[in-house]
Amino acid sequence: MGGAMLARWIADGADPANIVAIDPGAPDVPAGVTLVAAPPEGRPDVLVLAIKPQLLDAVAPSLASTNPDVLVSILAGVEEATLAAKIPARAVVRAMPNLPVAIGRGVVALHTTSDDARVRDVAEALMAPLGLVEWIADEALFHAVVALSGSGPGFAYRFIEAMAAGAAALGLPAAMAERFAIATVEGAAALAADSDVGPAVLADRVASPGGTTRAGLDVLDHGAAMRRLVADTLTAAARRSAELAEAAR
Ligand SMILES: NC(=O)C1=CN([C@@H]2O[C@H](COP(=O)(O)OP(=O)(O)OC[C@H]3O[C@@H](n4cnc5c(N)ncnc54)[C@H](OP(=O)(O)O)[C@@H]3O)[C@@H](O)[C@H]2O)C=CC1
Ligand SMILES: O=C(O)[C@@H]1CCC=N1
């Protein structure tokens, strides 16, 4: 995820000479970005933490002397207070991005208890090139955000896969089925984003009376099958986020 954010920042015009990536694993980084195995001397303006939540305790001591102006954490679950207790920083901002930030079409939720307007400005300016950016005042809602927009692309890809597999089972060549499924979901989402009515109304507009869509929607709606499946899916993801928070405390 850190790599996806970095790729977008550079595509948006950030100067790679101003960016230092800290990763002992020596991954590929964009040209001009300095890659180091351990934090260099000096105090960064912004430190973006993009390790797995389970690595926090192992990595935090190595960051203890960095003392950034703003620590931005994208760790699922892990709370602002936990981060503040483990990594000294003037301010901590939690961010929950998602994978489409790589093309500037992501969602980034932000949270901080800092009342310093400059901290909020820095976080907003950093995230603006990544897509839709919104502040969440109540940190407890971050579990829902992780489930919806953080994990959501994974769930959307499963749906696309299932659409394509369903069409292939009806005889469409598999590659064409996948192309059509992706373009259908992309177009449907773009229309919804551009529309002044909600998705329920749009679904009804697709469903001609007595037609094909209604026959299909009746399957999804029977016993609220789709709603229940998706609610269970998001609940499982949110529960996991809470477990990660608890484990990191
Ligand atoms: N994937 C997603 O869509 C999203 C992920 N997140 C959050 O982003 C974080 C990363 O997730 P994800 O990208 O999926 O996981 P990855 O395992 O792909 O990324 C973690 C990265 O951290 C590196 N790393 C490991 N140890 C260290 C260390 N000691 N110091 C610095 N870097 C280290 C890893 O390197 P190596 O591979 O060499 O071990 C790897 O590049 C998680 O906290 C997750 O909750 C948030 C929103 C969305
Ligand atoms: O699966 C995960 O834990 C991360 C957080 C949100 C998306 N990916």
Side-chain angles (χ1 to χ4, degrees):
M1 188 65 219
M5 296 169 79
L6 185 54
R8 177 59 191 160
W9 283 323
I10 288 174
D12 187 60
D15 184 353
N18 292 332
I19 301 174
V20 176
I22 308 167
D23 190 332
D28 283 339
V29 293
V33 170
T34 303
L35 176 66
V36 294
E41 291 292 313
R43 187 176 171 188
D45 295 329
V46 177
L47 177 64
V48 178
L49 192 63
I51 53 165
K52 289 191 184 92
Q54 295 91 331
L55 279 183
L56 179 60
D57 280 337
V59 171
S62 72
L63 299 174
S65 60
T66 53
N67 206 13
D69 227 24
V70 184
L71 173 69
V72 177
S73 164
I74 67 164
L75 276 55
V78 185
E79 291 148 329
E80 183 184 356
T82 301
L83 294 155
K86 296 188 189 233
I87 303 175
R90 201 167 71 81
V92 177
V93 175
R94 281 187 68 186
M96 183 42 53
N98 65 9
L99 208 51
V101 300
I103 56 166
R105 302 282 305 275
V107 174
V108 185
L110 294 172
H111 169 82
T112 185
T113 53
S114 170
D115 53 8
D116 184 339
R118 211 184 61 81
V119 168
R120 290 175 163 260
D121 289 350
V122 165
E124 276 181 39
L126 190 65
M127 299 303 169
L130 306 188
L132 172 67
V133 180
E134 293 197 19
W135 287 95
I136 307 278
D138 179 358
E139 187 174 14
L141 294 179
F142 246 63
H143 299 309
V145 168
V146 173
L148 175 60
S149 55
S151 297
F155 307 146
Y157 296 137
R158 272 290 192 279
F159 181 70
I160 291 171
E161 250 189 298
M163 294 266 282
L170 291 172
L172 212 61
M176 177 183 276
E178 189 170 295
R179 280 197 306 277
F180 280 26
I182 291 170
T184 298
V185 171
E186 184 181 28
L191 181 63
D194 199 39
S195 177
D196 52 8
V197 296
V201 172
L202 290 172
D204 281 343
R205 281 188 192 164
V206 183
S208 313
T212 62
T213 312
R214 183 60 60 201
L217 286 174
D218 284 348
V219 175
L220 291 179
D221 294 346
H222 184 70
M226 178 79 165
R227 272 184 186 249
R228 287 151 76 108
L229 184 62
V230 172
D232 287 352
T233 302
L234 264 62
T235 299
R239 190 183 308 122
R240 183 65 190 135
S241 175
E243 287 169 1
L244 290 168
E246 173 68 32
R249 273 182 209 131

